[in-house]
Amino acid sequence: QQQVKQSPQSLIVQKGGISIINCAYENTAFDYFPWYQQFPGKGPALLIAIRPDVSEKKEGRFTISFNKSAKQFSLHIMDSQPGDSATYFCAASRGVQGAQKLVFGQGTRLTINP
Amino acid sequence: GAGVSQSPSNKVTEKGKDVELRCDPISGHTALYWYRQSLGQGLEFLIYFQGNSAPDKSGLPSDRFSAERTGGSVSTLTIQRTQQEDSAVYLCASIPQVWTQGEQFFGPGTRLTVL
């Protein structure tokens, strides 16, 4: 059972454009929603995260939008740059009760064309 | 400071052989996680440790998989009688304590290829 569904699988955006990646979750007990960025040959690294008590969080060019009623959250990358080309994973966890285990989406391969 | 390290970075083995994958977490991190990343798939949880104990082994795909952690530091993931479907990147992550909600720090992974 896939608890976190991510789309699209791949995305091509022109430099300067907006990249949008969407995720949907099933378990309402999730209380932490991070996005990880992974470059080839590297482990994932935390990009930005949100908790369900807020609807939006912005850090620089990266924004998470969170819709608790729809059980959906999305990553927006403004002014996308070639250096943003990577694979992005959304994830969710249940905090201490879930021992912080992360449930990941399937990943989105983002390519930013110069 | 040093991050999470894993060794080897690449491992090619023949079907039926046993392999050991090593993870060295960030110093002082008591919680350690193993995940598997199969080609084109997201990461799936395998097992986690709090100290040397493994309260949750629910993600281990079969009894051919086992893991241990000694001294509250280094962890070893062992796969016995490897199968081709075990080919994947095995990632390790650590956090300061299991009740610390926040970033999990990942190592670079071990790419396992079973021929």
Side-chain angles (χ1 to χ4, degrees), chain A residues 9 31-32 36 38 41-46 51 87 89 93-96 98-107, chain B residues 33 35 37 40-45 48 56 58 91 95 97-109 111:
Chain A
Q9 282 190 318
D31 63 358
Y32 178 68
Y36 280 79
Q38 184 179 32
K42 305 291 187 183
L46 180 68
R51 292 182 171 80
T87 300
F89 292 96
S93 71
R94 287 178 54 220
V96 174
Q100 316 298 348
K101 293 182 296 182
L102 292 170
V103 179
F104 285 90
Q106 299 96 319
Chain B
Y33 301 78
Y35 295 89
Q37 184 174 19
Q41 301 294 314
L43 288 77
E44 59 174 331
F45 166 81
Y48 93 93
D56 187 348
S58 63
L91 290 156
I95 60 175
Q97 303 281 353
V98 73
W99 51 84
T100 307
Q101 189 173 67
E103 180 172 9
Q104 289 195 8
F105 297 87
F106 282 83
R111 180 176 297 278

Side-chain angles (χ1 to χ4, degrees), chain A residues 6-27:
Chain A
Q6 182 173 346
S7 63
Q9 282 190 318
S10 62
L11 180 62
I12 300 174
V13 175
Q14 292 299 118
K15 179 183 176 181
I18 302 174
S19 305
I20 302 175
I21 305 171
N22 300 297
C23 284
Y25 64 96
E26 299 169 7
N27 189 344

